[in-house]
Amino acid sequence: MQVTISAAARPAARVATGKEYVTILFGVWLIAGVFVDGFAHNHGAVETFFTPWHAILYSGFMASAIWMGWLLLQAKRASGVSWTEAAPAGYGLGLIGVGLFLLGGLGDMYWHTVFGIEQNIAALLSPTHLLLLLGGLLILSSPFRASWHDASLTKPGWAAFTPAFISLVVTTGAVAFFLMYAWMFRYNLPAASSVDWYSNQFGGGFIAENNAERGLSYILIDTLVYMFPVFLLMKRWALPIGTITLHFTIVTVMMNVLDGFQNYPSIFIACGAGLVGDILYKALRAEDGRAFAERIVAAALPIALWSFYYAWMAITDGIGWETELWAGSIVEATLLSLGLQLLAAPKPAAARS
């Protein structure tokens, strides 16, 4: 008996790898506008909605929106199905993100007209900015979702893996941007000079203790930002060499834009930690799905990241925290990473049956 598959039952079309690179190009354009605008906000250079940095941001959005709309139109013509069913694999949520971003942009223009221009943390918590974040995340992550659902990609080379990788990294960068107030490398609260300043300025006591608590929280938050994408990638693919190093380095470079690369040593710290992760990933053959190897990588990465951070601090400024604080923060970050890895790991075959 011959079975006819209706057009609606066909799997969504997969965007060609070459076109995925175009999506990435426009996404990088958009995220570049986000970070340039963030630098301007942090340095008091924003006095109106109509600025050169907003022009970069919204022109990047328009390029992404037009491109994704064209991909949808092509898929619609090729398949003959409805508009909602024609969305290429991984791009359905991205097209929803286009609508959300447009609403956020129009709302942001009105918000600035009524309430003025936000600065610092207030800019990150503006409802319209958060709507822009949501829309941007859905747009930027489209190539990642498309690759995730491509069954032919299991042990990809860099040519096929790059769109998914860059998509996830710039999406992570956008998340880190909105958590910039908790980015430890911007504040260096454990440094001797920071601890002395708070002690001299406020006489120590509650204020100094409160800033130690802030620092410990920042380390945990930053560990999540760095590690969650690593586990997501390991869960789905056998990673090409250099994946973890590039992820750690690119995200840290992006965050350095916000302060004009004043904290550039953090780039080398993150790169070094990523190298440790890549070496262990290959040496222990974690790409074969060995759970024990993945857990060693999960523990080693935060140990390397924060140990290198404290080592750099000890050499350049001195560590102002007590040994229990800085050493314990490394242990806490490691335990957090291990717990996250357990949640991200796929089910054993027996549990799936």
Side-chain angles (χ1 to χ4, degrees):
M1 182 178 68
Q2 184 176 3
V3 178
T4 302
I5 301 177
S6 66
R10 296 171 187 160
R14 176 78 161 88
V15 174
T17 301
K19 292 180 179 178
E20 295 271 56
Y21 279 104
V22 178
T23 306
I24 291 298
L25 175 64
F26 292 146
V28 170
W29 180 355
L30 188 157
I31 200 68
V34 170
F35 276 84
V36 171
D37 186 53
F39 177 88
H41 272 278
N42 286 345
H43 294 81
V46 178
E47 297 178 356
T48 175
F49 180 83
F50 300 98
T51 62
W53 16 95
H54 272 185
I56 298 172
L57 168 62
Y58 286 105
S59 61
F61 161 69
M62 287 302 298
S64 296
I66 292 171
W67 171 249
M68 294 176 73
W70 184 72
L71 291 177
L72 175 63
L73 178 61
Q74 276 197 319
K76 170 81 167 85
R77 288 175 173 173
S79 64
V81 298
S82 67
W83 287 103
T84 55
E85 294 166 338
Y91 280 72
L93 287 176
L95 289 162
I96 293 174
V98 168
L100 293 175
F101 200 99
L102 180 60
L103 286 175
L106 294 173
D108 194 44
M109 181 170 61
Y110 177 77
W111 187 278
H112 288 326
T113 302
V114 174
F115 298 105
I117 304 299
E118 315 94 333
Q119 299 293 336
N120 302 319
I121 294 180
L124 300 173
L125 298 180
S126 164
T128 54
H129 285 180
L130 293 176
L131 185 58
L132 288 170
L133 169 65
L134 177 58
L137 293 179
L138 294 177
I139 293 170
L140 294 170
S141 57
S142 294
F144 173 78
R145 287 192 301 274
S147 296
W148 182 277
H149 294 292
D150 188 341
S152 66
L153 287 178
T154 53
K155 293 187 177 182
W158 271 110
F161 184 63
T162 296
F165 172 73
I166 296 297
S167 174
L168 183 60
V169 168
V170 295
T171 301
T172 304
V175 172
F177 176 93
F178 274 81
L179 292 171
M180 69 173 76
Y181 52 83
W183 194 251
M184 176 59 96
F185 299 113
R186 298 186 72 209
Y187 303 103
N188 294 321
L189 294 174
S193 59
S194 297
V195 173
D196 289 343
W197 186 85
Y198 280 107
S199 296
N200 294 332
Q201 192 80 7
F202 302 103
F206 174 77
I207 296 296
E209 182 177 346
N210 179 258
N211 279 281
E213 293 168 357
R214 282 177 55 210
L216 293 169
S217 300
Y218 292 176
I219 287 172
L220 296 179
I221 291 172
D222 296 346
T223 299
L224 284 172
V225 172
Y226 276 116
M227 296 305 300
F228 182 82
V230 173
F231 299 140
L232 200 57
L233 291 170
M234 288 199 301
K235 180 176 183 177
R236 175 61 180 82
W237 294 288
L239 305 182
I241 187 68
T243 298
I244 301 174
T245 303
L246 285 172
H247 160 60
F248 270 50
T249 303
I250 293 172
V251 169
T252 311
V253 168
M254 292 172 72
M255 292 303 291
N256 266 267
V257 170
L258 298 172
D259 295 304
F261 290 87
Q262 292 180 10
N263 301 298
Y264 69 88
S266 62
I267 299 172
F268 301 103
I269 293 168
C271 180
L275 281 170
V276 170
D278 273 318
I279 291 170
L280 288 174
Y281 183 82
K282 288 299 180 183
L284 300 173
R285 293 188 290 115
E287 70 267 25
D288 295 334
R290 303 173 71 193
F292 184 70
E294 291 184 358
R295 285 165 195 163
I296 291 177
V297 173
L301 276 168
I303 290 174
L305 178 66
W306 299 116
S307 294
F308 292 165
Y309 174 64
Y310 286 121
W312 162 75
M313 187 175 293
I315 294 169
T316 58
D317 192 355
I319 302 174
W321 281 2
E322 298 174 355
T323 303
E324 291 82 359
L325 283 178
W326 68 260
S329 69
I330 298 174
V331 175
E332 276 196 331
T334 303
L335 293 174
L336 175 64
S337 180
L338 284 169
L340 188 63
Q341 192 278 330
L342 291 174
L343 292 175
K347 291 180 180 180
R352 293 196 295 267
S353 60

